[in-house]
Amino acid sequence: MLLDIDHVGIAVRDLEEAVEHYARTLGLAPVHREVVEEQGVEEVLFRAGTSYIQLLAALGPDTPVGRFLERRGEGVHHVGYRVDDLAGTLSELAAEGVPLVDEAPRPGSRGTSVAFVHPRGFAGVLVELVQEP
Ligand code: CO
C-alpha cells in the first residue's frame, strides 16, 4: 500500500550551494546527509511535513545523476513513494506489466529499502519505492 510521498529527489550540480539556498530561502535545516555509493550520489534531506526534499549531487559524471545533469540539467530527478510492503508492491507492479528498474529491494539511505520503477511506467517520472526500516 502507498502510504505517503516519501521524498522528491532534485538533482543539483553544487550540493553545498543548493543546501545553503534551500535552508535560507525556505527556512529549513538539513536533517540528514549521506553518501550512497551504490547509487553514485551524495544526498541531503530537508523535512517537509511527513515528506522530505532530497537534494542529490552526483559522485561522478558516469553515474545516473551525473548523466541526468549532463542531459537535462538541474531539476526533479525522481519521486519517492513510501510503501509498507516493498516486495509485495514490486510483485503487484510487475503483474500489472509496469517496467521495473529493480526487480528486488536494495538498500537506500537512512536504513531504508528501495527499488526504482522505470519512468515508462509512470508518465515519464522515475519512481522510487521506499520502505522505512
Ligand atoms: Co530517492
Side-chain angles (χ1 to χ4, degrees):
M1 185 177 36
L2 200 156
L3 302 175
D4 207 343
I5 305 292
D6 186 80
H7 63 276
V8 177
I10 300 166
V12 301
R13 293 193 193 280
D14 184 328
L15 187 58
E16 305 319 319
E17 187 181 294
V19 167
E20 194 278 328
H21 179 79
Y22 271 72
R24 181 167 42 80
T25 57
L26 297 177
L28 298 172
V31 295
H32 186 78
R33 175 185 284 259
E34 186 169 341
V35 172
V36 187
E37 293 282 351
E38 311 84 67
Q39 292 174 27
V41 296
E42 180 169 6
E43 68 169 49
V44 170
L45 298 178
F46 295 93
R47 190 100 201 171
T50 55
S51 308
Y52 296 98
I53 299 167
Q54 179 189 60
L55 301 181
L56 290 168
L59 295 181
D62 195 25
T63 59
V65 171
R67 288 188 289 271
F68 177 90
L69 285 166
E70 176 66 33
R71 211 168 55 241
R72 314 250 304 253
E74 293 186 307
V76 174
H77 178 261
H78 66 275
V79 176
Y81 293 142
R82 192 176 303 147
V83 298
D84 60 354
D85 175 9
L86 179 51
T89 303
L90 283 174
S91 301
E92 288 164 18
L93 291 175
E96 291 292 334
V98 175
L100 306 178
V101 175
D102 297 310
E103 303 283 332
R106 58 183 165 120
S109 67
R110 293 181 292 126
T112 59
S113 298
V114 303
F116 283 90
V117 180
H118 198 280
R120 278 200 313 274
F122 288 110
V125 176
L126 177 62
V127 167
E128 179 182 14
L129 303 172
V130 183
Q131 183 175 345
E132 299 206 294

